[in-house]
């Protein structure tokens, strides 16, 4: 157990600016103290905020990126026993919590979905179309890279990835162009792919870069991001104590739809599917809403930090009811498309 004399924790020198930080701390009711899971440690901005909100707060922080874990070593030391930082996936957060010694459950779980500024800024990680580097995108630096996917998948599989995970309207045309381009040799760099996409997808004046959606879709597929999110929501339902809070920040519509749908079912606002209850009988709500609809960044924050413009926060409080059955509809949404897109 980590219960020790509390020490104020200094701010880490982070290049990633946390989004919706005070709104997230309010949603978690972090000032009450307790045990919190930060499933997306990144540069530790959220963890730092939780530790500073109460001297009685302890954090089990998780990140699948070895660079984020290494970068957090100083913060762990400064937290003097109030922070454990674990290299893992947030989809396994209930196992991580149990292994950290908190088998009685936790008081809060927060997820800040997506990539960090550090990941985007390093050309060598291959996440950004703005920086030429290897077409990698693996958060864990392990398994198949985006280049493996782009150079191996069939035209139909690529079109599915671009369409379902990127909501790219020109998905088929881009997939066809990738297959044609492969005849000349492998696509190895972010620059090569960004150039190919920019030749097909029209840039809208003042809009996003034409390659944004294709890059997003590959990142989601390479890291199974939607599957991870669905597993994490179910894991949070299992580990949160009654009165414990779940807060999730998302940056694009697919992720937000998953969180919204999960909470709609769990709070009893949408029908759940149960194989065990008589038809028409709903399972007891396992969450109560904390936020009414999505919370967005203030104008001031959006002006300071452009990343905050698309952020949405949703939060809910765990009830006494047992965890419900896994959401099959959600899993179907999260597992699209599965042919060749996964490791
Ligand atoms: C947006 S950043 C989090 C920033 C953090 N809230 C802060 O204030 O510094 C997202 C982080 O989550 C990590 N991540 C993404 N998917 C993950 C997963 N399935 N399991 C664990 N970590 C994940 C990424 O590696 C990245 O470091």
């Amino acid at each position: 157990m980590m219960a020790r004399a509390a020490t104020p924790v200094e701010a880490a020198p982070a290049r990633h600016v946390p989004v919706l930080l005070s709104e997230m701390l309010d949603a978690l009711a972090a000032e009450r103290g307790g045990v919190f899971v930060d499933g997306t440690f990144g540069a530790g901005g959220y963890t730092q905020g939780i530790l500073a909100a109460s001297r009685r707060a302890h954090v089990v922080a998780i990140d699948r990126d070895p660079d984020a874990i290494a970068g957090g070593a100083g913060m762990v030391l400064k937290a003097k026993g109030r922070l454990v930082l674990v290299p893992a996936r947030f989809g396994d957060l209930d196992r991580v919590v149990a292994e950290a010694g908190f088998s009685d459950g936790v008081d809060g779980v927060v997820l800040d979905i997506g990539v960090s500024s550090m990941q985007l800024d390093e050309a060598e990680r291959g996440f950004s179309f703005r920086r030429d580097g290897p077409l990698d995108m693996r958060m864990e630096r392990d398994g198949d890279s985006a280049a493996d996917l782009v150079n191996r998948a069939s035209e139909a599989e690529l079109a599915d990835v671009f369409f379902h995970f990127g909501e790219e309207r020109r998905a088929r045309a881009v997939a066809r162009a990738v297959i044609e381009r492969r005849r000349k040799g492998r696509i190895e760099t972010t620059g090569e792919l960004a150039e190919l996409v920019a030749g097909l997808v029209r840039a809208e004046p003042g809009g996003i870069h034409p390659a944004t959606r294709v890059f997003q879709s590959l990142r989601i597929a390479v890291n199974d991001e939607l599957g991870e999110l669905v597993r994490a929501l179910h894991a949070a339902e299992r580990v949160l104590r009654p009165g414990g809070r779940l807060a999730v920040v998302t940056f694009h519509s697919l992720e937000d739809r998953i969180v919204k749908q999960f909470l709609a079912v769990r709070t009893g606002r949408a029908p759940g599917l149960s194989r065990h209850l008589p038809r028409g009988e709903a399972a007891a709500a396992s969450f109560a809403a904390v936020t009414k609809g999505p919370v967005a960044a203030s104008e001031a924050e959006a002006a300071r930090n452009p990343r905050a413009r698309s952020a949405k926060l949703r939060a809910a409080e765990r009830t006494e009811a047992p965890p419900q059955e896994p959401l099959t509809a959600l899993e179907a949404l999260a597992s699209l498309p599965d042919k060749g897109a996964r490791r």
Side-chain angles (χ1 to χ4, degrees):
M1 284 290 182
M2 293 188 293
R4 302 261 167 83
T7 313
V9 181
E10 292 164 29
R15 277 174 295 140
H16 181 94
V17 180
V19 169
L20 289 169
L21 178 61
S22 61
E23 291 85 348
M24 180 282 293
L25 292 170
D26 282 352
L28 272 191
E31 78 290 347
R32 296 187 297 184
V35 181
F36 296 88
V37 178
D38 177 355
T40 48
F41 178 77
Y46 277 14
T47 287
Q48 159 66 24
I50 295 166
L51 291 171
S54 163
R55 288 169 168 259
R56 285 176 294 103
H58 291 80
V59 177
V60 179
I62 296 171
D63 206 293
R64 70 193 289 186
D65 185 337
D67 291 3
I69 299 296
M75 196 182 287
V76 173
L77 281 178
K78 284 182 191 143
K80 299 215 161 67
R82 292 203 288 144
L83 168 62
V84 282
L85 180 53
V86 184
R89 296 182 182 190
F90 55 57
D92 297 327
L93 69 88
D94 48 349
R95 176 184 59 75
V96 174
V97 162
E99 286 174 8
F102 297 105
S103 37
D104 293 345
V106 302
D107 303 287
V109 172
V110 62
L111 301 170
D112 180 14
I113 304 298
V115 275
S116 67
S117 306
M118 293 83 72
Q119 289 166 329
L120 279 175
D121 285 351
E122 279 182 37
E124 175 237 338
R125 303 297 306 265
F127 285 107
S128 175
F129 44 77
R130 296 188 195 284
R131 294 166 201 277
D132 195 20
L135 189 56
D136 189 327
M137 301 195 191
R138 296 169 305 168
M139 289 187 188
E140 276 156 358
R141 294 179 179 270
D142 190 30
D144 284 351
S145 67
D148 292 326
L149 173 56
V150 162
N151 288 294
R152 258 193 233 143
S154 70
E155 185 176 326
E157 287 162 354
L158 287 172
D160 274 355
V161 170
F162 301 151
F163 184 73
H164 291 298
F165 294 163
E167 298 175 296
E168 171 54 64
R169 272 172 296 177
R170 303 271 292 142
R172 281 172 187 276
V174 177
R176 202 174 316 123
V178 167
I179 301 293
E180 269 168 35
R181 166 65 184 70
R182 275 174 12 190
R183 296 207 180 96
K184 289 192 227 148
R186 279 175 62 89
I187 300 171
E188 297 284 10
T189 68
T190 52
E192 285 168 334
L193 182 65
E195 196 185 319
L196 182 144
V197 178
L200 291 161
V201 176
R202 203 155 18 106
E204 284 156 32
I208 58 173
H209 186 285
T212 304
R213 293 192 184 88
V214 165
F215 270 64
Q216 171 194 297
S217 69
L218 289 172
R219 199 198 78 211
I220 289 175
V222 164
N223 296 289
D224 185 18
E225 290 185 34
L226 304 187
E228 273 294 306
L229 175 57
V230 173
R231 285 188 285 282
L233 295 172
H234 289 110
E237 185 184 35
R238 290 191 291 271
V239 296
L240 280 166
R241 292 195 263 256
R245 298 276 181 95
L246 170 66
V248 188
V249 175
T250 60
F251 290 86
H252 69 75
S253 61
L254 279 177
E255 294 161 346
D256 183 54
R257 262 163 49 199
I258 289 173
V259 179
K260 184 179 166 188
Q261 166 75 353
F262 177 83
L263 291 180
V265 173
R266 274 16 190 183
T267 55
R269 282 180 294 116
L273 304 167
S274 176
R275 287 177 289 277
H276 302 301
L277 290 171
R279 201 173 261 282
E281 201 169 304
S286 55
F287 280 96
V290 168
T291 51
K292 305 236 178 313
V295 175
S298 65
E299 276 179 30
E301 182 178 6
R304 268 196 321 271
N305 181 6
R307 251 191 106 246
R309 287 181 201 150
S310 50
K312 282 182 181 161
L313 165 72
R314 294 183 190 269
E317 182 170 304
R318 191 72 176 82
T319 66
E320 302 271 352
Q324 296 183 13
E325 285 174 43
L327 276 182
T328 48
L330 260 180
E331 279 162 356
L333 172 61
S335 65
L336 269 176
D338 60 357
K339 298 172 235 135
R342 299 301 163 84
R343 284 191 241 157

